[in-house]
């Protein structure tokens, strides 16, 4: 069933991209309970299994129906493009209890029996306490499930934003939507989001739209947030297929013999535009070593670089891409 978002000219001027660590945290919690999302994240699931088992995620799962409303206050749209987890958590904690209670009631109503459960009744009876406990639970989930891998996740999400920002400039808003996901369509100033959610329509009224790439929402495209929050569309980020693949697993032996194993690993790790610190974390190499390899690869015409926000992102040139493709029988 579709969600229809009706734009005017002011809305088009207020569309922006954002990355949200709090969103990734709550979606990671949701992914744990949904086997249909596990495909791309099996390596991550194996690694965090013990830590996840030590968390009581029941209160969060109770507010995450398979269809229907999830509380907007749990992760309101980031105010800027690169909010920190701590900043977003403070925004959550500042939610008025009355607002939280209304949001919680809507979410509980989407699951038969949830509002009458012990946990559901407790949340509705004392929304201020529910706010505190949910914030603390999300903080523990962040520390256990997301924070250790956040440099890798952030790099992929920022690379997605950088890529699609360029595409927006190249092809315009209508074509960009189709490239973000086949579940997004544009006609007569209306954005249609095809999803299993309820049939819904919203006039944006000049608020614009936040476009948020997500690692853990795959395969879903999510249209979220009701007033007073700015509406958002969350879509699967590019490159998640190789997110948990270690570079040594995908470096062709012939390329390693040509460039050296460490330098070839750096080249093959650049499936998406990535910064030095993220590559260092991913490859287990010192930042100075990664920087030296990047300089050589760039001088050889295998990489290009450009600044995005606080860091320099490197990406492969067509020649660099061609070299990383292992040819049948080459090894």
């Amino acid at each position: 069933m579709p969600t229809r978002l009706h734009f005017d000219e002011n809305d088009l001027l207020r569309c922006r991209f954002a990355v949200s660590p709090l969103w990734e945290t709550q979606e990671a919690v949701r992914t744990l309970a949904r086997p249909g999302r596990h495909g791309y994240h099996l390596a991550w699931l194996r690694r965090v299994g013990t830590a996840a088992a030590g968390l009581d995620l029941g209160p969060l799962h109770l507010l995450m129906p398979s269809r229907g409303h999830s509380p907007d206050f749990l992760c309101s749209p980031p105010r800027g493009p690169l909010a920190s987890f701590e900043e977003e958590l403070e925004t959550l904690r500042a939610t008025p209890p009355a607002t939280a209670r209304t949001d919680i009631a809507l979410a509980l109503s989407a699951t038969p029996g949830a509002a009458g459960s012990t946990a559901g009744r407790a949340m509705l009876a004392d929304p201020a306490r529910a706010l505190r406990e949910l914030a603390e639970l999300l903080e523990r989930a962040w520390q256990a499930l997301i924070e250790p891998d956040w440099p890798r996740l952030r790099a992929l999400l920022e690379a997605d934003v950088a890529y699609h920002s360029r595409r927006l400039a190249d092809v315009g808003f209508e074509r960009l939507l189709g490239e973000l996901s086949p579940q997004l369509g544009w006609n007569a100033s209306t954005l249609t989001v095809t999803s299993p959610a309820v049939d819904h329509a919203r006039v944006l009224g000049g608020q614009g739209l936040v476009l948020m790439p997500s690692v853990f929402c795959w395969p879903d495209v999510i249209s979220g947030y009701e007033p007073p929050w700015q509406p958002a569309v969350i879509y699967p980020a590019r490159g998640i297929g190789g997110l948990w693949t270690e570079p040594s697993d995908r470096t062709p032996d012939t390329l390693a013999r040509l460039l050296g194993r460490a330098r070839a690993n750096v080249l093959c790790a650049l499936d998406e535009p990535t910064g030095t610190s993220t590559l260092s974390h991913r490859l287990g190499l010192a930042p100075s070593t990664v920087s030296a390899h990047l300089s050589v690869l760039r001088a050889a015409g295998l990489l290009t670089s450009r600044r995005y926000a606080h860091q320099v992102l490197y990406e492969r040139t067509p020649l660099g891409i061609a070299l990383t493709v292992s040819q049948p029988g080459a090894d």
Side-chain angles (χ1 to χ4, degrees):
M1 291 177 282
T3 296
R4 291 171 293 277
L5 302 175
H6 301 288
F7 286 66
D8 62 25
E9 61 274 11
N10 291 321
D11 294 306
L12 291 171
L13 295 173
R14 295 187 176 97
C15 292
R16 60 187 177 92
F17 286 95
V19 169
S20 170
L22 181 54
W23 175 271
E24 293 307 311
T25 302
Q26 71 161 3
E27 285 303 297
V29 170
R30 196 186 305 265
T31 296
L32 290 172
R34 295 193 180 179
R37 287 188 173 189
H38 289 183
Y40 283 127
H41 303 301
L42 292 176
W44 172 79
L45 287 162
R46 287 192 292 269
R47 191 165 68 252
V48 305
T50 300
L55 297 171
D56 178 12
L57 299 174
L60 286 171
H61 285 149
L62 191 65
L63 298 175
M64 296 176 172
S66 57
R67 294 190 179 188
H69 181 79
S70 292
D72 291 332
F73 75 87
L74 286 180
C75 181
S76 58
R79 295 176 183 175
L82 299 170
S84 70
F85 177 82
E86 292 74 19
E87 290 169 340
E88 292 191 285
L89 195 64
E90 284 306 307
T91 299
L92 188 162
R93 287 180 167 137
T95 304
T99 300
R101 188 188 189 284
T102 299
D103 224 1
I104 289 170
L106 283 172
L108 293 174
S109 69
T111 301
S117 66
T118 301
R121 291 198 308 272
M123 290 183 194
L124 294 172
D126 192 348
R129 179 178 178 179
L131 266 172
R132 293 193 301 272
E133 293 179 347
L134 291 169
E136 291 168 2
L137 182 52
L138 281 167
E139 186 172 23
R140 292 195 296 273
W142 157 259
Q143 293 166 349
L145 306 178
I146 299 298
E147 189 175 24
D149 292 306
W150 182 240
R152 175 184 295 201
L153 300 178
R154 184 183 65 190
L156 186 140
L157 296 169
E158 290 182 356
D160 180 281
V161 170
Y163 174 82
H164 285 119
S165 295
R166 293 200 306 272
R167 291 299 294 161
L168 176 61
D170 290 341
V171 304
F173 188 67
E174 180 177 0
R175 280 189 56 186
L176 172 70
L177 292 172
E179 294 180 9
L180 294 179
S181 171
Q183 294 174 315
L184 299 176
W186 179 264
N187 183 49
S189 299
T190 297
L191 169 59
T192 300
V193 185
T194 303
S195 71
V198 295
D199 194 12
H200 179 65
R202 179 174 177 183
V203 177
L204 301 189
Q207 283 190 295
L209 185 72
V210 183
L211 295 167
M212 291 169 47
S214 174
V215 168
F216 288 103
C217 77
W218 182 92
D220 301 318
V221 173
I222 301 167
S223 174
Y225 305 108
E226 293 299 312
W229 290 282
Q230 186 179 14
V233 167
I234 300 93
Y235 61 91
R238 298 174 73 248
I240 60 173
L243 176 63
W244 307 113
T245 303
E246 296 304 322
S248 59
D249 294 339
R250 58 174 184 261
T251 301
D253 287 341
T254 49
L255 184 61
R257 292 196 295 269
L258 175 67
L259 300 178
R261 174 63 64 178
R263 193 167 292 159
N265 284 346
V266 170
L267 184 64
C268 290
L270 287 165
D271 288 330
E272 297 288 336
T274 308
T276 302
S277 60
T278 300
L279 285 170
S280 172
H281 177 82
R282 186 180 302 173
L283 298 170
L285 298 173
S288 58
T289 301
V290 172
S291 181
H293 289 322
L294 290 169
S295 295
V296 172
L297 292 169
R298 182 182 177 187
L302 303 181
L303 301 180
T304 61
S305 64
R306 57 189 170 76
R307 180 164 292 279
Y308 175 75
H310 61 285
Q311 64 177 326
V312 175
L313 297 179
Y314 294 85
E315 60 184 311
R316 297 193 294 244
T317 63
L319 176 58
I321 293 171
L323 286 176
T324 59
V325 177
S326 180
Q327 299 297 321
D331 292 345

